[in-house]
Structure formats: structure tokens, C-alpha cells
Amino acid sequence: MELLQFRYFLEAARYENLTRAADELHIAQPALSQSIMRLENELGVKLFDRRNHHVYLNDQGKLLRRRLIPLMESIDSLKDELWESVCSSEKTISLNFFAASQFITNCIIAYKAEHPDVKFQVSQLETMGGCDIHIDSRASVYGPTAMGEIQMPEGAVRQEILEEEIYLAVPANSPLAERESVDLRQLREEGYIRLGNGWQLRQICDNFFHQAGVRPQMIFESNSPESVRNLIAAGLGIGFWPERSWDEQPGPQVKLIPIRYPVCRRDVVVTMYKQAQEKPVVGEFVDYLCGYFKRGLKDEDR
């Protein structure tokens, strides 16, 4: 049995007139008659009573019509549903990120305000696969990220979206706040507040200590950047503060000091996967992401 046979049957059942049904289907009347006869043979029952060159839907035909109508309506609507699914997929951005979480979150909020039809699926997974965009960071001078050199999937494109200085954040009442710059080698005895192991920024900053030959005295560790900022502001220790990606300036309780040794900078990099490059909305969002950061810099320069 074929779907077309059922469509032909429903038209014949609708008119109970094979000539009129054939005209409606734009086929020859003999072709319609043969299709219905094949369907009856395959089902093993008669669907029409034939009298005096006329056809009349019998009880079996009426039962088949009742069952077929909702099925055919469902099948007819399936095409529209599939296209809606395609459109929804084309308007969905799957984003995985390990760096600049507050900056990226604020950018998503701003983008959604301008493009309410776009959906985001956001995750923070160690693997890079299974998403449209992956965002991570690496020390600017030393090339690979603190997690090691990333193996790029075939066809993926990497683009730097943000380069920033990493400052030393100290309480405003600390003697260090009077300095114009600091050398990490001279801060071996200070108590540090740092992010937890799950953050790339933590690993990058640990690498700065390694370059300086310093084993830091850690007094607090938190997976919340906000907690780290608050603890420093409370005068409980010192820590690292990204220049841009935390997307906010410290309050009067915290002073940011440039680090002259080692060079403490990082890049935030976006990787766009090959399959995502076929979705225009992904490229548009990456462009928006870069522009969002540039607009932030212009606002600061005013």
C-alpha cells in the first residue's frame, strides 16, 4: 500500500463519483479506478459498492475513511513541522565557554534584546565538540592555553575576540596600593585569593606564578569570581583581576596594579565549528561579540 493510494481513496470517498474525483486529482478516471481496486485487493475487502455505474462508500470504506482522515492530516502537517524545526535549529546557537563568563553573558543578554527570535544553548563542558561555538582563553605571550595546546577539529576557525591585561588586585588600604607596578617575585609572602580549578583564568595565573618562580601563599579559593572580588575588597588578601572580561570596574575598596614581571596578559578566543559556519546566525553572533567588546572599549575612552 502506498500513501498515494490512500489519497486517491479519500477523494473518491469524498465525492462518491470517480469521474469528479479524478478531475479533482488531475488524473484519468481509469487510473483512479485501478488504484482503488489495487487497494481493495491489498486490504482484502471491498470499500465501495458499485451499482448502475455508480460507487457508494460501504461500511468498510467508511471505517477506513474515519481512520485515514486524522492520519493524513498529521502527515500533511508534518512538512510544516519539519520546516519549523529547521528554522528553529537555524536560529539556535549552541555556546560552550570557559572564559569571560560575565562578559559573554552580558553580550548574550544584549544580543537577545535585539534578536528575540534567536535561542541559546549554553554549557561549560571540557570537550569542545557538540556545539557551534567554543570560547576559551590562553596566555597571550606563551601561545598554548594553560590546559595545553588545543587540537583543532577539521574546518574549525579560531578568532581572537578579546586581549586583556591581568592586573594584581589589592585592598585599597594595603601598602601595595601605593605602587605603580609590581613584580610577582617580590610578593612571595603575600596571601592570595584565587579561583577554583575549574577556571582557565586560575590555570593561566598559576602559570604566571610558575614563570616568576613563586609558590604563592593561598588563603582563599572560590569558584565564584564575585566571591573572589568581594574577599579582596574586604581586605583579606590579594588576587588577579582581568582588565576587561569581568566587565566591571572595582569599587573604591580595591586598587588594580599593573604587573611588570612576568608579562600577564591573556587572549579570549572563539572557535567556530565547520557545521556552524553554515548557520548565518552563528557568524552574525560572533561578529556581534567582537563588536560588543570594541564598543565597550570606546565607551571607556569617552
Side-chain angles (χ1 to χ4, degrees):
M1 287 175 286
E2 300 176 359
L3 186 62
L4 193 59
Q5 288 177 287
F6 291 136
R7 293 192 185 279
Y8 285 179
F9 162 76
L10 286 174
E11 284 299 311
R14 176 184 176 190
Y15 293 106
E16 292 187 316
N17 184 307
L18 296 185
T19 300
R20 186 175 178 185
D23 289 342
E24 195 70 24
L25 292 166
H26 305 291
I27 62 172
Q29 188 269 331
L32 177 59
S33 297
Q34 292 174 9
S35 175
I36 291 174
M37 290 178 63
R38 284 198 304 273
L39 180 60
E40 289 177 326
N41 290 334
E42 291 173 11
L43 291 173
V45 297
K46 293 295 183 181
L47 302 172
F48 293 91
D49 293 333
R50 296 165 175 83
R51 297 189 301 270
N52 300 323
H53 304 290
H54 292 281
V55 295
Y56 302 92
L57 201 62
N58 62 24
D59 290 342
Q60 291 73 35
K62 292 176 182 177
L63 173 61
L64 180 61
R65 181 178 61 180
R66 286 198 304 272
R67 295 295 181 87
L68 279 181
I69 286 175
L71 291 175
M72 299 305 290
E73 288 176 347
S74 177
I75 290 171
D76 290 339
S77 67
L78 184 58
K79 181 179 178 180
D80 291 337
E81 292 177 14
L82 290 172
W83 275 108
E84 288 176 6
S85 175
V86 169
C87 293
S88 176
S89 176
E90 291 296 317
K91 290 290 187 179
T92 299
I93 300 173
S94 176
L95 178 64
N96 186 37
F97 62 90
F98 272 98
S101 57
Q102 186 169 347
F103 171 82
I104 302 300
T105 300
N106 289 345
C107 181
I108 290 174
I109 293 171
Y111 187 83
K112 279 283 292 180
E114 297 181 20
H115 305 83
D117 56 327
V118 176
K119 300 178 181 178
F120 284 87
Q121 295 177 345
V122 179
S123 61
Q124 290 182 306
L125 304 174
E126 291 187 8
T127 57
M128 293 180 64
C131 62
D132 297 322
I133 302 172
H134 178 88
I135 299 175
D136 60 359
S137 62
R138 60 190 179 191
S140 300
V141 176
Y142 301 98
T145 67
M147 298 178 69
E149 187 67 52
I150 289 178
Q151 298 297 318
M152 288 288 292
E154 182 180 356
V157 176
R158 298 205 85 193
Q159 180 179 350
E160 178 187 308
I161 60 171
L162 186 156
E163 183 181 15
E164 63 181 347
E165 193 85 18
I166 306 295
Y167 290 108
L168 187 73
V170 304
N173 59 2
S174 166
L176 293 173
E178 304 299 323
R179 300 191 186 185
E180 294 183 1
S181 64
V182 295
D183 183 327
L184 290 187
R185 293 173 296 186
Q186 299 172 352
L187 304 178
R188 299 175 185 272
E189 305 302 323
E190 298 291 334
Y192 286 89
I193 301 168
R194 66 178 177 182
L195 288 168
N197 273 322
W199 293 84
Q200 285 189 338
L201 179 60
R202 148 72 182 272
Q203 296 169 336
I204 289 173
C205 292
D206 283 354
N207 190 45
F208 295 152
F209 284 125
H210 179 73
Q211 295 169 47
V214 173
R215 185 172 183 177
Q217 304 296 319
M218 298 301 177
I219 56 175
F220 285 103
E221 183 175 303
S222 173
N223 282 322
S224 167
E226 182 179 5
S227 295
V228 171
R229 294 192 290 264
N230 291 340
L231 290 168
I232 295 171
L236 300 180
I238 64 176
F240 292 100
W241 190 294
E243 175 188 16
R244 309 289 185 192
S245 61
W246 275 2
D247 206 28
E248 65 178 57
Q249 293 300 311
Q253 300 91 352
V254 177
K255 178 75 179 296
L256 301 184
I257 311 295
I259 302 170
R260 62 177 181 272
Y261 185 87
V263 175
C264 294
R265 298 184 66 84
R266 74 161 177 173
D267 299 328
V268 176
V269 182
V270 58
T271 300
M272 184 165 61
Y273 291 95
K274 183 177 181 180
Q275 75 276 5
Q277 296 167 34
E278 300 175 0
K279 296 167 61 174
V281 68
V282 175
E284 291 170 5
F285 176 71
V286 171
D287 291 341
Y288 185 91
L289 194 61
C290 298
Y292 183 83
F293 175 62
K294 291 178 181 177
R295 287 193 298 274
L297 291 180
K298 290 178 181 178
D299 290 341
E300 290 180 8
D301 291 340
R302 290 176 184 171

